[in-house]
Amino acid sequence: MEQLANLKPLTKLVLSIQLWAVTIAIEYGVVFGTHNDAGIAPVVEAQSITIPYAIFNRLGWASALMTQIFLCQAGLGGPINSFLSWRGWLPLSRLTYSVYLLHYGIDIAWVAQLRHVFSYSPDFQSVIIFLGLIATVNCCGVLLFLVVEQPSANLEKLFHPGPPRSKTEQNGKIPEQNGKIPEQNGKIPEQN
């Protein structure tokens, strides 16, 4: 990361654009790799296409995603990093684990209560069922978070408090001593 900080701004921009383009192309290839884009009759793909895809699709997706995370951490994320770092995602991020734990059981319970064979088809009924399951799982996830996860986190804070916070961290300001800002490690800290 230090080497990226030493690059010229134009070089950073070009490198960033190139890496984002490559990672997006890889992710597009993983998602639509064996998809028939022409819309013609279903085509049976040759094994020379499907076998390499089956071998490398997960590696390609993970590598592209890792590179995008690295770019965001290195300050080369631009508007994508701003969007993903938006504080509005915080409540949703706290629910994801609860939703992950509950979704399979709720899906199985829904399938078990069916009285006829259900076939997934691209129609309005499938969309309604999907939206209903998403709403149900998220409502149950909120309940699980409020009843189990949040109280557990509060108990953990009670029994294992973190290190004491300095006055700087408590009020967000740097304390002045004798009218001067204290130096830390030979550097003057930035003021907000």
Side-chain angles (χ1 to χ4, degrees), residues 43-60:
V43 177
V44 177
E45 298 287 341
Q47 286 185 348
S48 61
I49 295 172
T50 57
I51 291 174
Y53 177 81
I55 293 171
F56 294 113
N57 69 350
R58 294 174 193 262
L59 178 65

Side-chain angles (χ1 to χ4, degrees), residues 28 41 59 73 134 140 157:
Y28 181 84
L59 178 65
Q73 286 297 108
I134 290 290
C140 292
K157 285 180 187 175

Side-chain angles (χ1 to χ4, degrees), residues 58-181:
R58 294 174 193 262
L59 178 65
W61 182 266
S63 301
L65 197 58
M66 178 194 66
T67 303
Q68 289 174 346
I69 292 170
F70 174 76
L71 287 170
C72 287
Q73 286 297 108
L76 301 175
I80 296 171
N81 189 31
S82 301
F83 175 72
L84 293 175
S85 300
W86 179 49
R87 291 187 59 116
W89 295 121
L90 190 60
L92 186 62
S93 71
R94 292 184 177 165
L95 293 179
T96 54
Y97 188 63
S98 298
V99 169
Y100 167 72
L101 289 176
L102 292 172
H103 86 278
Y104 187 70
I106 291 175
D107 288 350
I108 293 297
W110 178 77
V111 170
Q113 63 84 30
L114 289 176
R115 295 190 178 156
H116 57 85
V117 176
F118 181 79
S119 61
Y120 288 98
S121 59
D123 62 351
F124 186 69
Q125 181 183 8
S126 295
V127 172
I128 295 299
I129 290 170
F130 171 76
L131 293 175
L133 285 172
I134 290 290
T136 303
V137 169
N138 280 301
C139 288
C140 292
V142 168
L143 288 174
L144 182 66
F145 176 78
L146 292 175
V147 172
V148 177
E149 201 170 336
Q150 190 62 39
S152 299
N154 290 340
L155 283 174
E156 184 179 359
K157 285 180 187 175
L158 182 67
F159 292 116
H160 301 289
R165 293 174 50 181
S166 66
K167 289 184 180 181
T168 304
E169 293 172 346
Q170 289 175 0
N171 61 14
K173 295 182 181 177
I174 298 172
E176 293 186 13
Q177 296 175 350
N178 299 331
K180 295 182 180 179
I181 298 173

